[in-house]
Amino acid sequence: MAEPTNANVSEEFQNDPRVPDELRNNVFITSLDKLYNWGRKRSMWPMLFGLACCAIEMIATAASRHDLARFGWELMRASPRQADLMIVSGTVTKKMIPQIVRLYNQMPEPRYVIAMGACATAGGPFKEGYNVVSGVDKFIPVDVYITGCPPRPEALLHSFIKLQEKIEKQSLRNVPWYRQGEEDVVPVPALGPDLVDMRRAQEIKEKAAQAAPALEQPTA
Amino acid sequence: MAEETTNPTPAEPATAAKAAPAAKPTSPAAAKPAAAKPAGHAAPKGPPLATLTPELAQLQQHFGESIITPAPYVGVLVNDLSKLRDVMTYVRDQLGFDMLANVTAVDYIKEGYLQVVYHPQRSKGGQPITIKVRVPRGSDPVAPTEVAVPSLTPIYAGAEFQEREIYDMYGVRFEGHPDLRRILTWEGFYGWPLRKDWHEPYYEGDTKPFDSRWPGGHHELAEERVPWGDNVNYPPGFDPLNFNSDPDAGLYDSMLSGVPNAPIGPNGHAQQAPQPQGVGAAVSVYDRNYNTLADEEELQTDQIIVNMGPQHPSTHGVLRMVVKLDGETVTDLKLALGYLHRNHEKIGERNTWLHNIPYTDRLDYICGLANELGYVITVEKMMGIKPTERAEYLRVIMAELTRIESHFWAIGFLLNDLGAFYTPALYFITERDLILDLFESVTGSRLMCNYMRFGGVSRDFTEDQLAHARELAFDRIPRKIDELEQLLTENEIIKARTIGVGYLPAERSINYSLTGPCLRAAGVPYDIRRADPYSIYDRFDFEIPVFYGADVYDRYRVRVAEMRQSLRIVQQALNQIDQTKPGDIQAGKKAYNHRVPAGEAYGRVETPKGELGFYLVSDGGQNPYRYHVRSSSFINLNALKEMTVGHKVADAVVILGSLDIVLGEVDR
Ligand code: SF4
């Protein structure tokens, strides 16, 4: 839709003789999208969920000096059912990823994910570890990535601003959470001999049937 | 400091390269004759026998042939496994080594055995001794060893988690262990990750720098190189659509007795795990009378099992506590660990010596600088170098500020657990941020400082930074500690919630290898800065605060008192540092590649959480052959069950908070 700017709308409105005097300066007209997004972006409830070192900086961000409350985002909820934002603050391990996916699935839409720090983004310094997932985006969709190990609190604040910008651009008409049909549920990975991504089960089965994987290599 | 127990030739290249992890005898059996006559050591320049500490000599005399000294290595080897418990009982009761500081294992693949290494120490202080046993590796890469090592849990309760970790990482079986399951990985994991022939999916080479990166600088995305396109690997024939994934079965099995209608796990109905034995364990935790109200018994309440974590606001990260509850009373508690297992040790053995410094920051990420200190002084001892004077002072200033900062954090979050949600923590985080500002201005980072180097530190303080440190140490922090005490120490609610809660008497604490403020709150004046001094702590005038309540309240009070003592140290160091030469912060040349002479060392420091030890084995190369971290957070958790059983579930949270664990160090 061709969106008139707020200023235009107000002017038109103010000049309209049908509008009673006392309302002239008290009414704003905007699009539903704008109102909806404006409200949402200023009242995110992040999940109280820390994984590793980055969580310490996340707590520092919420504390007095950096004061997350300025953004209206300070209400950390311990339950995923009450949260709309998951800050993946730390190293995602194979042992933990089933829980992370389950928590993500339990969050009601609209939900957002911030991958905080090198580990959550791509595995970070521990990427080569046998129990480390190379980035949480291998399993759940991420909205904002922040670099750093750990990112400074300012960087986390920056990611909030970025996420606010993203929210502002969303429109009620095409956001995924009002569409019809099933909700997106990420299948929870399982812990077998190694982490099993259930979406790739068929492929894994086929490959494992024919391949002699690296584990069998003789040592030097 | 602790460093090595005996290795008297840290700088001696003679034992070098090949000899390294290999005592010259190539099998345990072959070792015997050589050892029976220790004088006949053929090893060139092996440590002369005189370097055996009096205790080890006495031990050898007492046990004769079953104890040998496998030069050129440190410590003694018990070659008759069935004697191990006798030896350790003797070590504990006759020699007075009442605390098992560290247990770990090393895979000597060329020689075909796994060596389990014990470091018992005296709670009175002094250096630990080193005792070893060997088991053949076995031929099957996924089966645990055929030969089992007798578990030491009946002698040292603190061995429980450490033995489980060795089982998990190396597949060494421990006979008589109450609950031998995988601890950091999960039940069903394929292989034994720390064995030298086990390769992680992204395996590129045994040691860094990898050929592909050095010196050309070429690199590629690991995902593009590996068969599965991801950090996974499956045994041949694995069927992901049809496998039994129940990593928790063993955990619940071990807790189910007494729970009505409990399902029986695939392993059959497990028995109640045996209670800890040993010094002071005569009173079983189950005998404590927690049902004080007569009616409660008549109520016939069901027992239920409740999972707290790994995502739970009270567990300080991704710890998982599984508690069995009778009403609100905890009757059993198990920990499920490993949710933050980042393979620190496997990565550490690939890294060069220098590479590992920033990784130690990420162990206990609240107090990174203290961890770095432990690592660098251990390596320095092996290399036989000493940092410059100024660097010593800078290290102490940083380490003690870290202690203050960490205790601020610990106390803030203890109050969180007590229900004072966030408000007190906010005060302390503010103070902590001021200290972190100093860290940041000096090192460039708030948390992960990467500051210490072998033989020095990476940056000097400027005049401004010294002034900043002085302002903190002489003015701001003392005021804030006073304020903290005013607000909290006599607070009625805090006293009501914490006095007598989480009680663990001194002898049990020692038996559990508890270290740090928790041990000192139980009346044991054990602090490595005094018990086995390292760095320049012998120059400062400070006390080791001790309280006798052995409960949550006294753990809090010890921390407050320690902050004051740390301040004293920082103040003295800031006064004395002017006598050192500015800019003189690195002994010798700056180097990127360090070669550490072959040998092994166990070095330790007192971090805010307790004893942080590094057990390092070098084969003379650029990388550690074995890199083990003895972390106090992990080992202190052994005692959590005994502290908690009998209390209400709300107190379980507080008791955990009083231990002040950090998951990065627990799971490593
Ligand atoms: S990115 Fe760095 S600071 Fe953050 S969790 Fe990973 S290692 Fe820790």
Side-chain angles (χ1 to χ4, degrees):
Chain A
M1 69 192 132
E3 270 185 329
T5 65
N6 286 353
N8 286 346
V9 174
S10 310
E11 224 164 86
E12 203 178 296
F13 181 83
Q14 276 172 356
N15 297 336
D16 192 327
R18 290 168 299 177
V19 178
D21 277 352
E22 60 270 30
L23 279 187
R24 289 225 165 138
N25 290 321
N26 292 333
V27 174
F28 298 92
I29 295 179
T30 182
S31 68
L32 189 54
D33 266 345
K34 280 223 163 106
L35 188 66
Y36 175 69
N37 290 337
W38 174 79
R40 286 193 310 134
K41 79 176 189 189
R42 303 220 174 250
S43 62
M44 277 279 176
W45 288 12
M47 192 156 76
L48 184 58
F49 171 63
L51 286 178
C53 352
C54 281
I56 306 298
E57 286 298 59
M58 181 175 80
I59 295 169
T61 315
S64 352
R65 182 191 284 189
H66 299 282
D67 196 8
L68 200 49
R70 290 175 296 162
F71 295 77
W73 292 32
E74 79 281 15
L75 210 56
M76 298 238 180
R77 308 311 295 177
S79 161
R81 307 267 182 210
Q82 301 169 334
D84 4 50
L85 169 68
M86 178 190 257
I87 303 171
V88 184
S89 53
T91 316
V92 179
T93 62
K94 290 180 186 171
K95 201 166 175 178
M96 191 64 194
I97 188 74
Q99 279 78 347
I100 296 177
V101 170
R102 205 168 289 143
L103 288 167
Y104 177 79
N105 286 339
Q106 286 172 353
M107 283 165 57
E109 283 184 309
R111 60 190 167 198
Y112 300 90
V113 177
I114 291 178
M116 176 180 186
C119 283
T121 304
F126 297 96
K127 175 169 177 175
E128 62 197 287
Y130 50 85
N131 192 27
V132 175
V133 175
S134 326
V136 71
D137 58 359
K138 300 251 172 189
F139 290 90
I140 60 176
V142 172
D143 296 279
V144 182
Y145 298 88
I146 344 170
T147 56
C149 179
R152 287 184 50 90
E154 288 86 343
L156 187 59
L157 294 179
H158 178 71
S159 77
F160 292 156
I161 295 167
K162 282 286 163 208
L163 186 56
Q164 289 189 335
E165 282 170 13
K166 176 167 183 170
I167 293 171
E168 263 166 24
K169 295 203 186 93
Q170 290 184 311
S171 167
L172 270 174
R173 286 180 306 164
N174 52 21
V175 288
W177 51 91
Y178 290 128
R179 71 183 174 265
Q180 290 198 320
E182 301 254 308
E183 220 189 304
D184 257 349
V185 176
V186 182
V188 178
L191 293 175
D194 204 330
L195 186 72
V196 185
D197 183 349
M198 284 315 188
R199 296 168 299 190
R200 290 180 61 191
Q202 198 58 43
E203 180 196 343
I204 291 170
K205 182 176 177 177
E206 281 160 21
K207 267 197 188 170
Q210 24 149 313
L215 278 180
E216 294 288 284
Q217 281 169 7
T219 40
Chain B
M1 98 162 239
E3 328 62 64
E4 53 251 282
T5 43
T6 46
N7 189 354
T9 52
E12 196 171 301
T15 53
K18 287 165 277 157
K24 14 84 247 210
T26 46
S27 79
K32 273 186 211 168
K37 272 192 280 132
H41 278 319
K45 302 200 187 166
L49 247 196
T51 61
L52 271 191
T53 58
E55 292 89 6
L56 289 177
Q58 189 185 340
L59 196 66
Q60 201 171 31
Q61 214 171 16
H62 191 267
F63 284 92
E65 301 247 325
S66 37
I67 298 231
I68 60 178
T69 42
Y73 296 102
V74 177
V76 294
L77 178 78
V78 180
N79 62 9
D80 181 356
L81 278 180
S82 61
K83 286 271 171 58
L84 179 66
R85 279 199 189 154
D86 294 343
V87 172
M88 295 309 262
T89 313
Y90 184 84
V91 164
R92 185 190 70 184
D93 297 339
Q94 306 301 318
L95 300 181
F97 287 81
D98 47 2
M99 200 173 185
L100 189 59
N102 177 45
V103 190
T104 186
V106 191
D107 180 8
Y108 291 115
I109 183 167
K110 287 202 200 102
E111 292 77 22
Y113 58 77
L114 298 162
Q115 180 160 285
V116 182
V117 186
Y118 301 91
H119 288 105
Q121 68 186 16
R122 291 185 170 122
S123 62
K124 290 194 308 230
Q127 297 189 347
I129 54 172
T130 312
I131 293 175
K132 303 169 175 174
V133 295
R134 288 174 184 169
V135 284
R137 298 176 88 243
S139 44
D140 186 347
V142 283
T145 57
E146 284 130 44
V147 183
V149 178
S151 165
L152 290 192
T153 40
I155 303 169
Y156 296 107
E160 181 178 344
F161 283 3
Q162 305 192 64
E163 286 181 346
R164 272 180 73 184
E165 186 191 340
I166 297 173
Y167 168 73
D168 189 1
M169 295 290 128
Y170 287 96
V172 176
R173 252 179 344 111
F174 287 92
E175 206 162 359
H177 190 284
D179 189 16
L180 195 63
R181 287 179 294 113
R182 289 196 182 252
I183 184 166
L184 296 180
T185 62
W186 56 89
E187 225 39 69
F189 189 85
Y190 189 75
W192 312 106
L194 278 185
R195 288 198 183 187
K196 288 287 176 187
D197 54 355
W198 190 95
H199 292 156
E200 62 275 32
Y202 283 162
Y203 176 80
E204 187 173 340
D206 275 336
T207 52
K208 289 178 190 166
F210 297 136
D211 292 343
S212 65
R213 323 251 177 122
W214 178 264
H218 167 79
H219 60 88
E220 60 192 350
L221 212 56
E223 282 90 334
E224 285 164 9
R225 176 164 59 72
V226 296
W228 303 95
D230 202 354
N231 188 10
V232 287
N233 215 338
Y234 306 97
F238 169 66
D239 181 359
L241 299 171
N242 181 24
F243 73 105
N244 187 1
S245 164
D246 195 0
D248 285 339
L251 171 71
Y252 292 133
D253 272 359
S254 68
M255 299 184 75
L256 286 182
S257 56
V259 177
N261 304 326
I264 293 170
N267 306 344
H269 206 108
Q271 299 291 310
Q272 182 75 53
Q275 286 306 299
Q277 301 155 1
V279 185
V283 184
S284 152
V285 285
Y286 287 95
D287 292 347
R288 287 188 197 155
N289 184 9
Y290 46 80
N291 284 328
T292 42
L293 294 173
D295 325 3
E296 257 182 47
E297 295 197 351
E298 285 154 33
L299 273 177
Q300 296 281 334
T301 47
D302 283 354
Q303 302 221 13
I304 53 165
I305 288 180
V306 177
N307 272 292
M308 298 169 75
Q311 142 66 6
H312 191 278
S314 73
T315 54
H316 295 232
V318 287
L319 182 78
R320 177 168 159 217
M321 272 200 285
V322 187
V323 288
K324 186 151 81 175
L325 299 179
D326 183 353
E328 272 197 57
T329 307
V330 179
T331 59
D332 194 3
L333 178 146
K334 282 264 151 111
L335 290 167
L337 306 176
Y339 291 96
L340 190 54
H341 177 46
R342 301 192 277 197
N343 329 122
H344 194 91
E345 295 183 4
K346 187 83 177 176
I347 295 175
E349 286 167 19
R350 302 245 186 277
N351 282 347
T352 64
W353 294 96
L354 191 66
H355 262 143
N356 277 332
I357 296 176
Y359 279 87
T360 59
D361 277 329
R362 289 156 179 82
L363 274 172
D364 175 350
Y365 33 74
I366 311 279
C367 45
L369 283 158
N371 308 339
E372 288 176 21
L373 181 59
Y375 178 64
V376 296
I377 61 177
T378 311
V379 177
E380 280 167 7
K381 280 289 164 178
M382 294 176 85
M383 298 189 355
I385 56 174
K386 262 192 92 54
T388 62
E389 274 290 285
R390 190 165 177 95
E392 293 271 29
Y393 279 103
L394 293 175
R395 285 177 178 187
V396 167
I397 292 171
M398 289 305 220
E400 294 307 315
L401 284 175
T402 303
R403 189 179 318 275
I404 297 169
E405 167 251 308
S406 168
H407 284 347
F408 267 132
W409 186 270
I411 293 170
F413 281 81
L414 175 65
L415 287 162
N416 241 13
D417 294 339
L418 280 167
F421 202 66
Y422 248 119
T423 309
L426 286 180
Y427 278 77
F428 306 140
I429 293 173
T430 308
E431 299 315 308
R432 180 175 178 269
D433 271 340
L434 294 176
I435 299 176
L436 295 191
D437 284 347
L438 177 66
F439 291 172
E440 189 181 19
S441 77
V442 176
T443 70
S445 176
R446 282 157 53 91
L447 300 184
M448 308 302 172
C449 300
N450 191 9
Y451 180 59
M452 314 231 175
R453 295 288 182 272
F454 306 132
V457 295
S458 65
R459 286 187 186 83
D460 199 0
F461 275 47
T462 62
E463 276 308 315
D464 285 351
Q465 285 158 350
L466 279 174
H468 182 177
R470 289 204 173 96
E471 200 229 307
L472 285 176
F474 288 96
D475 179 34
R476 174 91 191 187
I477 301 174
R479 269 195 290 128
K480 288 295 163 176
I481 298 176
D482 289 345
E483 188 181 312
L484 180 159
E485 277 225 273
Q486 244 168 31
L487 290 170
L488 304 178
T489 305
E490 291 304 318
N491 182 307
E492 252 176 72
I493 302 174
I494 291 179
K495 285 174 108 174
R497 283 290 311 273
T498 58
I499 292 182
V501 172
Y503 175 73
L504 191 71
E507 66 272 27
R508 292 300 296 149
S509 303
I510 291 171
N511 198 246
Y512 270 116
S513 310
L514 207 66
T515 50
C518 300
L519 183 63
R520 293 189 285 277
V524 184
Y526 183 81
D527 184 315
I528 296 163
R529 289 174 296 171
R530 277 275 194 263
D532 189 6
Y534 54 92
S535 190
I536 50 168
Y537 280 102
D538 45 0
R539 293 186 199 170
F540 303 114
D541 179 21
F542 66 102
E543 282 148 30
I544 304 297
V546 175
F547 286 84
Y548 295 88
D551 56 8
V552 175
Y553 186 59
D554 276 358
R555 285 173 208 144
Y556 153 76
R557 287 204 293 178
V558 163
R559 293 202 170 95
V560 178
E562 273 183 18
M563 283 158 65
R564 294 192 190 279
Q565 297 302 326
S566 292
L567 270 182
R568 277 176 73 186
I569 298 175
V570 176
Q571 290 169 352
Q572 292 170 51
L574 284 169
N575 286 337
Q576 293 170 19
I577 198 171
D578 289 340
Q579 296 150 21
T580 60
K581 195 166 127 234
D584 181 23
I585 52 165
Q586 174 75 46
K589 269 209 320 259
K590 255 193 195 170
Y592 296 100
N593 261 332
H594 297 265
R595 279 188 189 277
V596 174
E600 61 179 78
Y602 177 62
R604 54 204 187 136
V605 292
E606 186 75 28
T607 68
K609 310 291 186 314
E611 171 175 344
L612 177 73
F614 287 89
Y615 176 69
L616 304 175
V617 178
S618 168
D619 57 4
Q622 297 178 21
N623 313 73
Y625 184 78
R626 176 77 178 104
Y627 170 85
H628 172 69
V629 182
R630 182 265 187 228
S631 72
S632 44
S633 291
F634 178 63
I635 291 165
N636 287 358
L637 281 177
N638 274 307
L640 183 66
K641 175 177 169 186
E642 195 165 324
M643 288 179 184
T644 310
V645 168
H647 286 292
K648 302 278 185 230
V649 66
D651 290 334
V653 172
V654 179
I655 295 167
L656 179 70
S658 77
L659 283 182
D660 187 22
I661 54 156
V662 169
L663 263 294
E665 206 188 51
V666 173
D667 293 339
R668 285 155 291 144

